[in-house]
C-alpha cells in the first residue's frame, strides 16, 4: 500500500480543475507496447519514430498501413486497465477534469472518460491522405493501403505523425486546460515528445501542483510537485480510495 502525503491528499480534495496528460505507459498494463518498449516480431526491426512519419508513409505506404493495422489489432484484442477506469472515476469526483492523451488507442473513452482530448489522433479512425477528411467506410479490396472512395488517394490512419502539426483546436484546448488547472497529472509518459511535454511546464508556471506517476524517472521528475513512482494501474485506484 503506498502512503500518500497529507499535502497531496489536501491538494486533490481542494482541486476544482484537474488536467491529466497520459502517455503510452497508461496502456502498458493493457498489453499495449509503449514506444520505449522494443517492438516484437516482424516489427522488431523498425523504430516507431521511423514508421510514424509522413516520409515513411510516402516511401512505403503499405508497410506503414500494415504497422497501424497490427497495432489496431492489438488494441481491439485488449481492454482498458484499472488505471483507465480510475481516471474515469476521478472525473466524477471533481468539478472539471480534462483528460489530454497522447495515446491513439481510444481506451480512455472505452473506460468511460469524457472530455478527452486526443492530442495525436486515434488509430481506430482512418482519413484520406489527400483531403484530410475522416473516411468511415471504403470499398473492400486487397489494396493496402485502401484507396479513398472520394478521390482515389491512399487512406491513412487519423493520427499525428512526427513532423506533422497537431490540430490547432486540439492544441489550444490542451494548453487552456493546462493553464487553468489546480492540479496537473503527468501519467505514463516519458515527457519527450513535444508539444505534449510542454503542458506540465505551463501548469507549473501558473502554480498548479504537478503530480507525476511513472515507474521510472523522466525529464519532468525533478520539476514535479509530487512523484508517485510505480504503475498507474496500481497507484491510481489506491489514490482514488485515499482521497475521495
Ligand atoms: C510538431 C501518434 C511542429 C502516432 C505520436 C521540440 C523539441 C524537440 C523535438 C521537437 C520539438 N517540437 C517538435 C519536435 C519534433 C517532434 C518530437 O517531439 N520529437 C521527439 C522524439 C523529440 N514532435 C513532433 O513532430 C510533433 N509535431 O511539433 O509539429 C511543426 C511545426 C511546423 C511544421 C510542421 C510541424 C508531433 C508529435 C506527435 C507524434 N505522434 N503518436 C502513433 O502513435 O503512431 S507520438 C507517440 O510517441 C505517442 O503518441 C507519444 O506521444 C510518444 C511516445 O511517448 P510516451 O507516450 O511518453 O510513451 P513512451 O513509450 O515514450 O514512454 C512510456 C512511459 O510510460 C515511460 O516513461 C515508462 O516509464 C512509463 N510506463 C511504463 N509502464 C507504465 C508506465 N507508466 C505508468 N504505468 C505503467 N504501468
Amino acid at each position: 500500500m503506498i502512503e500518500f502525503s497529507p499535502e497531496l491528499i489536501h491538494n486533490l480534495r481542494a482541486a476544482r480543475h484537474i488536467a491529466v496528460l497520459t502517455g503510452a505507459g497508461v496502456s502498458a498494463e493493457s498489453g499495449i507496447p509503449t514506444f520505449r518498449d522494443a517492438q516484437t516480431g516482424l516489427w522488431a526491426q523498425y523504430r516507431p519514430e521511423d514508421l510514424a512519419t509522413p516520409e515513411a508513409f510516402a516511401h512505403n505506404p503499405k508497410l506503414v498501413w500494415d504497422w497501424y493495422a497490427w497495432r489496431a489489432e492489438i488494441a481491439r484484442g485488449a481492454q482498458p486497465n484499472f488505471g483507465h477506469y480510475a481516471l474515469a472515476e476521478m472525473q466524477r469526483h471533481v468539478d472539471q477534469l480534462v483528460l489530454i492523451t497522447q495515446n491513439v488507442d481510444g481506451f480512455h473513452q472505452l473506460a468511460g472518460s469524457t472530455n478527452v482530448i486526443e492530442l495525436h489522433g486515434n488509430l481506430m479512425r482512418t482519413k484520406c491522405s489527400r483531403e484530410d477528411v475522416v473516411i468511415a467506410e471504403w470499398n473492400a479490396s486487397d489494396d493496402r493501403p485502401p484507396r479513398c472512395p472520394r478521390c482515389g488517394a491512399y487512406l491513412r490512419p487519423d493520427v499525428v505523425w512526427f513532423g506533422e502539426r497537431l490540430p490547432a483546436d486540439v492544441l489550444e484546448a490542451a494548453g487552456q486546460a493546462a493553464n487553468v488547472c489546480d492540479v496537473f497529472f503527468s501519467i505514463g509518459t516519458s515527457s519527450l515528445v513535444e508539444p505534449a511535454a510542454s503542458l506540465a511546464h505551463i501548469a507549473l508556471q501558473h502554480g498548479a501542483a504537478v503530480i507525476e506517476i511513472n515507474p521510472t524517472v523522466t525529464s519532468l521528475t525533478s520539476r514535479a510537485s509530487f512523484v508517485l513512482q510505480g504503475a498507474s494501474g496500481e497507484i491510481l485506484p489506491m489514490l482514488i480510495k485515499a482521497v475521495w
Side-chain angles (χ1 to χ4, degrees):
M1 190 66 178
I2 286 200
E3 279 299 303
F4 301 108
S5 74
E7 201 196 352
L8 169 60
I9 292 179
H10 170 76
N11 264 300
L12 284 170
R13 284 185 180 148
R16 293 191 50 252
H17 291 192
I18 293 185
V20 180
L21 174 70
T22 62
V26 164
S27 293
E29 290 156 272
S30 297
I32 310 272
T34 70
F35 269 65
R36 301 303 119 196
D37 289 341
Q39 297 213 104
T40 57
L42 166 68
W43 304 105
Q45 58 194 298
Y46 301 97
R47 287 180 342 128
E49 42 276 34
D50 295 335
L51 290 173
T53 66
E55 293 75 19
F57 186 69
H59 179 68
N60 193 336
K62 180 180 169 306
L63 179 77
V64 174
W65 176 267
D66 285 352
W67 180 52
Y68 281 93
W70 173 67
R71 288 174 59 193
E73 201 52 40
I74 292 178
R76 271 193 287 273
Q79 333 277 335
N81 62 61
F82 292 131
H84 295 102
Y85 289 112
L87 288 170
E89 185 182 340
M90 189 187 291
Q91 189 164 25
R92 294 192 277 275
H93 291 292
V94 297
D95 290 354
Q96 189 196 48
L97 187 148
V98 180
L99 207 166
I100 306 159
T101 188
Q102 301 173 87
N103 300 337
V104 294
D105 54 31
F107 276 16
H108 287 301
Q109 297 93 317
L110 268 183
S113 286
T114 56
N115 213 355
V116 177
I117 298 177
E118 293 181 316
L119 282 184
H120 298 154
N122 186 315
L123 62 68
M124 301 304 182
R125 271 194 314 269
T126 300
K127 68 180 183 181
C128 172
S129 61
R130 180 185 299 147
E131 301 164 281
D132 212 24
V133 292
V134 171
I135 302 287
E137 53 194 21
W138 52 88
N139 316 326
S141 86
D142 296 338
D143 285 350
R144 296 195 336 251
R147 296 281 177 174
C148 172
R150 299 155 44 117
C151 76
Y154 279 135
L155 295 181
R156 57 165 280 184
D158 185 19
V159 297
V160 180
W161 280 330
F162 289 101
E164 293 186 320
R165 288 178 187 280
L166 279 63
D169 56 336
V170 164
L171 191 51
E172 163 73 22
Q176 183 56 13
N179 229 339
V180 302
C181 65
D182 310 305
V183 172
F184 185 98
F185 279 93
S186 178
I187 309 175
T189 178
S190 54
S191 303
L192 289 173
V193 173
E194 293 293 353
S198 301
L199 293 169
H201 301 284
I202 292 173
L204 279 169
Q205 259 148 26
H206 80 78
V210 169
I211 305 167
E212 181 178 52
I213 300 179
N214 196 314
T216 64
V217 170
T218 74
S219 57
L220 176 66
T221 307
S222 61
R223 303 282 308 279
S225 324
F226 302 94
V227 178
L228 304 176
Q229 190 158 27
S232 48
E234 288 162 26
I235 290 177
L236 282 167
M238 289 193 274
L239 186 63
I240 299 273
K241 262 201 203 62
V243 176
W244 288 286

